[in-house]
Structures are given as C-alpha cells and as structure tokens.
Amino acid sequence: MNGYFPSIYDSPIPTQYRMTLTVGEHSARHIRRIARMHLENWELQHLTDTVELALTELIANVVRHVPDSQCTLLLLKQQTGVRAEVTDAYGELLPAPAKLDRESEGGRGLILLDAFVDKWGVSPTAAGGKTVWFECTNSSVQGSNPP
C-alpha cells in the first residue's frame, strides 16, 4: 500500500505561514484574507480586526517605500497570541511615529500600528534589509475571553 502517512508528531494545524511576494495596490486585501483564515484555524479570531489593520499598514508601506515592492510575510502563532513580520530588502529603516500636520493625507500608519498592537518594532536584517514586526496578544482585546 503506497500513500502518504502524516507523522503522529506533527501538529495538525501549522503554527506559521510564510510567503514571499511582490505587492501591489490590491495585495493587502488578499493578505488580510490569508491572515483571517490562519487566525480562525488558530482559534484567535478575536485578534482578526487588529491583525488585519496592522498588516494593511505594513503592506502599504512596502508598496509606497520599497523600490521593488518585494517582501516576505510571516505569521506566527504564539502561546499568547500572534506575531506578524514583513521583511524587505530595502535597507532604510522606518522612523518612529512622527508628529504630523493635521492636514497631511499620509504618514499615520506607524501611529496606528503603535495604537493598536501590543508591541512592534523594526529590525535590520543580515542581508541589509529590514523586518517590521508586531505582536498581538489575547489580553490586547478588551472584553475578549481567551481560549
């Protein structure tokens, strides 16, 4: 009998998702759908709105600021919630959230990120790029009942 027999030691649901892609103006919508699916599988649906908003901002930054628009997305289930990372090869690190003119039409993404997620940061990569990451925990959602 030939066939595939999954290891009894493997988790039935993967605890991470990684994808490398070139992003464009409609990419955030597709990435939100992917994140929503994984959060449902991980029983972390209560984090969906926050994760989707934060991912949208990070992908928008790649579209706007990374010359080749290429990045790698990592979603990682953690014991206390989820971590997301967006890595690109563009070496310029993002500044901290700045004070903006009230009439400015852009530049609020990092301010939103700071307001909604539990932790976030920017780390340089060994290859000369950067990883922008954030974490959302079960305790970050008011009125949530963690599983």
Side-chain angles (χ1 to χ4, degrees):
M1 178 173 175
N2 292 330
Y4 170 73
F5 296 97
S7 169
I8 60 171
Y9 302 108
D10 286 345
S11 170
I13 298 173
T15 57
Q16 71 176 13
Y17 173 81
R18 183 184 308 268
M19 174 175 62
T20 299
L21 68 158
T22 301
V23 293
E25 66 180 75
H26 299 292
S27 298
R29 174 177 42 144
H30 300 296
I31 290 169
R32 285 192 302 267
R33 187 177 307 136
I34 290 167
R36 189 177 319 120
M37 177 193 69
H38 285 287
L39 291 170
E40 287 175 11
N41 287 340
W42 297 335
E43 297 182 358
L44 295 171
Q45 302 91 314
H46 55 284
L47 299 176
T48 299
D49 291 341
T50 303
V51 170
E52 286 183 356
L53 176 65
L55 280 174
T56 298
E57 292 303 326
L58 296 188
I59 296 303
N61 281 340
V62 173
V63 171
R64 286 187 196 107
H65 303 294
V66 176
D68 65 4
S69 297
Q70 291 185 355
C71 67
T72 299
L73 167 69
L74 172 67
L75 297 174
L76 180 63
K77 180 184 180 201
Q78 298 181 312
Q79 278 190 320
T80 60
V82 66
R83 177 181 174 102
E85 299 180 359
V86 176
T87 302
D88 63 64
Y90 190 51
E92 185 174 317
L93 297 180
L94 297 172
K99 292 182 180 179
L100 296 171
D101 176 9
R102 296 172 114 195
E103 303 301 317
S104 176
E105 291 190 23
R108 290 176 175 78
L110 294 179
I111 294 170
L112 286 171
L113 189 67
D114 195 50
F116 282 99
V117 301
D118 293 305
K119 293 191 283 188
W120 74 277
V122 182
S123 307
T125 64
K130 68 179 168 302
T131 297
V132 184
W133 59 270
F134 66 86
E135 294 180 358
C136 295
T137 63
N138 291 324
S139 63
S140 65
V141 180
Q142 294 178 346
S144 70
N145 295 320

